[in-house]
Short mmCIF file of all heavy atoms in Angstrom, two decimals:
data_model
loop_
_atom_site.label_atom_id
_atom_site.label_comp_id
_atom_site.label_asym_id
_atom_site.label_seq_id
_atom_site.Cartn_x
_atom_site.Cartn_y
_atom_site.Cartn_z
N LYS A 1 13.18 6.58 21.94
CA LYS A 1 13.70 7.35 23.08
C LYS A 1 13.69 8.85 22.85
O LYS A 1 13.51 9.62 23.79
CB LYS A 1 15.14 6.91 23.38
CG LYS A 1 15.26 5.47 23.86
CD LYS A 1 16.72 5.09 24.06
CE LYS A 1 16.85 3.64 24.52
NZ LYS A 1 18.27 3.24 24.67
N ILE A 2 13.91 9.27 21.59
CA ILE A 2 14.07 10.69 21.30
C ILE A 2 13.07 11.11 20.22
O ILE A 2 12.86 10.39 19.25
CB ILE A 2 15.50 11.01 20.82
CG1 ILE A 2 16.53 10.52 21.84
CG2 ILE A 2 15.68 12.50 20.57
CD1 ILE A 2 17.96 10.67 21.38
N SER A 3 12.48 12.27 20.41
CA SER A 3 11.55 12.82 19.41
C SER A 3 12.31 13.79 18.51
O SER A 3 12.84 14.80 18.97
CB SER A 3 10.39 13.53 20.11
OG SER A 3 9.53 14.11 19.15
N PHE A 4 12.38 13.47 17.22
CA PHE A 4 13.04 14.32 16.24
C PHE A 4 12.50 13.96 14.85
O PHE A 4 11.87 12.91 14.68
CB PHE A 4 14.57 14.11 16.28
CG PHE A 4 15.00 12.71 15.93
CD1 PHE A 4 15.37 12.37 14.64
CD2 PHE A 4 15.04 11.72 16.91
CE1 PHE A 4 15.76 11.08 14.33
CE2 PHE A 4 15.42 10.43 16.60
CZ PHE A 4 15.79 10.11 15.31
N PRO A 5 12.71 14.82 13.86
CA PRO A 5 12.20 14.53 12.50
C PRO A 5 12.78 13.21 11.98
O PRO A 5 13.99 13.05 11.89
CB PRO A 5 12.70 15.72 11.68
CG PRO A 5 12.86 16.82 12.67
CD PRO A 5 13.32 16.15 13.94
N LYS A 6 11.91 12.30 11.63
CA LYS A 6 12.34 10.95 11.25
C LYS A 6 13.10 10.91 9.92
O LYS A 6 13.89 9.99 9.69
CB LYS A 6 11.13 10.01 11.17
CG LYS A 6 10.24 10.02 12.41
CD LYS A 6 11.00 9.60 13.65
CE LYS A 6 10.08 9.46 14.85
NZ LYS A 6 9.44 10.72 15.28
N TYR A 7 12.86 11.90 9.05
CA TYR A 7 13.54 11.88 7.76
C TYR A 7 15.05 12.01 7.91
O TYR A 7 15.81 11.60 7.03
CB TYR A 7 12.99 13.00 6.86
CG TYR A 7 13.37 14.39 7.29
CD1 TYR A 7 14.58 14.96 6.85
CD2 TYR A 7 12.55 15.15 8.11
CE1 TYR A 7 14.94 16.25 7.24
CE2 TYR A 7 12.91 16.43 8.50
CZ TYR A 7 14.10 16.97 8.06
OH TYR A 7 14.46 18.24 8.45
N ILE A 8 15.49 12.58 9.03
CA ILE A 8 16.93 12.75 9.27
C ILE A 8 17.63 11.39 9.29
O ILE A 8 18.77 11.27 8.83
CB ILE A 8 17.16 13.51 10.60
CG1 ILE A 8 16.63 14.93 10.48
CG2 ILE A 8 18.65 13.53 10.95
CD1 ILE A 8 16.76 15.73 11.76
N VAL A 9 16.94 10.38 9.78
CA VAL A 9 17.53 9.04 9.86
C VAL A 9 17.83 8.51 8.46
O VAL A 9 18.92 7.97 8.20
CB VAL A 9 16.57 8.08 10.60
CG1 VAL A 9 17.11 6.66 10.54
CG2 VAL A 9 16.38 8.51 12.03
N VAL A 10 16.89 8.67 7.55
CA VAL A 10 17.07 8.19 6.19
C VAL A 10 18.14 9.00 5.46
O VAL A 10 19.01 8.44 4.77
CB VAL A 10 15.74 8.24 5.40
CG1 VAL A 10 15.94 7.76 3.97
CG2 VAL A 10 14.69 7.39 6.10
N VAL A 11 18.08 10.32 5.61
CA VAL A 11 19.06 11.18 4.93
C VAL A 11 20.47 10.87 5.41
O VAL A 11 21.40 10.75 4.61
CB VAL A 11 18.72 12.67 5.17
CG1 VAL A 11 19.83 13.56 4.63
CG2 VAL A 11 17.40 13.03 4.51
N SER A 12 20.64 10.72 6.72
CA SER A 12 21.98 10.45 7.26
C SER A 12 22.50 9.10 6.78
O SER A 12 23.70 8.94 6.53
CB SER A 12 21.94 10.48 8.79
OG SER A 12 21.08 9.48 9.30
N ALA A 13 21.60 8.12 6.63
CA ALA A 13 22.02 6.80 6.16
C ALA A 13 22.47 6.85 4.71
O ALA A 13 23.48 6.22 4.33
CB ALA A 13 20.88 5.80 6.32
N THR A 14 21.75 7.60 3.88
CA THR A 14 22.10 7.67 2.46
C THR A 14 23.32 8.54 2.20
O THR A 14 23.97 8.40 1.16
CB THR A 14 20.91 8.22 1.64
OG1 THR A 14 20.52 9.49 2.16
CG2 THR A 14 19.73 7.26 1.69
N LEU A 15 23.65 9.44 3.12
CA LEU A 15 24.83 10.29 2.93
C LEU A 15 26.12 9.48 2.93
O LEU A 15 27.13 9.93 2.38
CB LEU A 15 24.88 11.37 4.02
CG LEU A 15 23.89 12.53 3.85
CD1 LEU A 15 24.02 13.51 5.00
CD2 LEU A 15 24.11 13.25 2.52
N THR A 16 26.10 8.31 3.53
CA THR A 16 27.26 7.43 3.47
C THR A 16 27.57 7.06 2.02
O THR A 16 28.74 7.04 1.61
CB THR A 16 27.00 6.14 4.27
OG1 THR A 16 26.69 6.47 5.62
CG2 THR A 16 28.22 5.23 4.25
N ALA A 17 26.52 6.79 1.26
CA ALA A 17 26.71 6.47 -0.16
C ALA A 17 27.23 7.67 -0.94
O ALA A 17 28.01 7.51 -1.88
CB ALA A 17 25.39 5.99 -0.75
N VAL A 18 26.81 8.86 -0.54
CA VAL A 18 27.29 10.08 -1.21
C VAL A 18 28.79 10.24 -1.01
O VAL A 18 29.54 10.55 -1.95
CB VAL A 18 26.55 11.33 -0.68
CG1 VAL A 18 27.15 12.60 -1.28
CG2 VAL A 18 25.06 11.23 -1.01
N ILE A 19 29.24 10.03 0.22
CA ILE A 19 30.68 10.12 0.51
C ILE A 19 31.45 9.10 -0.31
O ILE A 19 32.50 9.41 -0.89
CB ILE A 19 30.93 9.92 2.02
CG1 ILE A 19 30.28 11.05 2.82
CG2 ILE A 19 32.43 9.84 2.31
CD1 ILE A 19 30.33 10.85 4.32
N ASN A 20 30.92 7.89 -0.39
CA ASN A 20 31.59 6.84 -1.14
C ASN A 20 31.67 7.16 -2.63
O ASN A 20 32.69 6.92 -3.28
CB ASN A 20 30.88 5.50 -0.93
CG ASN A 20 31.09 4.93 0.45
OD1 ASN A 20 32.06 5.26 1.13
ND2 ASN A 20 30.17 4.09 0.89
N VAL A 21 30.59 7.70 -3.19
CA VAL A 21 30.60 7.98 -4.62
C VAL A 21 31.54 9.15 -4.94
O VAL A 21 32.15 9.19 -6.02
CB VAL A 21 29.18 8.27 -5.15
CG1 VAL A 21 28.72 9.69 -4.82
CG2 VAL A 21 29.11 8.05 -6.66
N LEU A 22 31.70 10.08 -4.03
CA LEU A 22 32.64 11.18 -4.25
C LEU A 22 34.08 10.65 -4.26
O LEU A 22 34.91 11.10 -5.06
CB LEU A 22 32.47 12.25 -3.17
CG LEU A 22 31.14 13.04 -3.22
CD1 LEU A 22 31.07 14.03 -2.07
CD2 LEU A 22 30.99 13.74 -4.56
N ILE A 23 34.36 9.71 -3.37
CA ILE A 23 35.69 9.09 -3.37
C ILE A 23 35.90 8.30 -4.66
O ILE A 23 36.95 8.38 -5.30
CB ILE A 23 35.84 8.16 -2.14
CG1 ILE A 23 35.79 8.98 -0.85
CG2 ILE A 23 37.16 7.38 -2.23
CD1 ILE A 23 35.77 8.14 0.41
N ASN A 24 34.87 7.55 -5.05
CA ASN A 24 34.97 6.78 -6.29
C ASN A 24 35.07 7.67 -7.52
O ASN A 24 35.68 7.28 -8.52
CB ASN A 24 33.76 5.85 -6.42
CG ASN A 24 33.79 4.71 -5.43
OD1 ASN A 24 34.85 4.29 -5.00
ND2 ASN A 24 32.63 4.21 -5.07
N LEU A 25 34.47 8.85 -7.45
CA LEU A 25 34.56 9.79 -8.56
C LEU A 25 36.00 10.24 -8.79
O LEU A 25 36.43 10.42 -9.94
CB LEU A 25 33.66 11.01 -8.30
CG LEU A 25 33.52 12.01 -9.44
CD1 LEU A 25 32.92 11.34 -10.67
CD2 LEU A 25 32.65 13.19 -9.00
N VAL A 26 36.74 10.41 -7.71
CA VAL A 26 38.16 10.74 -7.83
C VAL A 26 38.91 9.62 -8.53
O VAL A 26 39.76 9.87 -9.40
CB VAL A 26 38.77 11.01 -6.42
CG1 VAL A 26 40.28 11.22 -6.53
CG2 VAL A 26 38.10 12.21 -5.78
N VAL A 27 38.57 8.38 -8.18
CA VAL A 27 39.19 7.22 -8.83
C VAL A 27 38.87 7.21 -10.32
O VAL A 27 39.74 6.95 -11.16
CB VAL A 27 38.72 5.91 -8.17
CG1 VAL A 27 39.29 4.70 -8.90
CG2 VAL A 27 39.14 5.88 -6.70
N ILE A 28 37.61 7.50 -10.66
CA ILE A 28 37.20 7.53 -12.07
C ILE A 28 37.99 8.58 -12.83
O ILE A 28 38.46 8.34 -13.96
CB ILE A 28 35.70 7.81 -12.19
CG1 ILE A 28 34.89 6.63 -11.65
CG2 ILE A 28 35.31 8.07 -13.65
CD1 ILE A 28 33.40 6.88 -11.63
#
């Protein structure tokens, strides 16, 4: 439906893991 740089989709999906690891880093 929308034309935009496709890499944004992958980057945005992996950023969820970044947020999680930062939270887990606090636990560590």
Side-chain angles (χ1 to χ4, degrees):
K1 295 177 181 178
I2 305 174
S3 178
F4 62 94
K6 309 300 187 296
Y7 70 87
I8 295 177
V9 174
V10 179
V11 172
S12 62
T14 56
L15 285 179
T16 302
V18 174
I19 296 173
N20 288 337
V21 79
L22 292 178
I23 295 173
N24 289 333
L25 187 60
V26 174
V27 176
I28 292 175

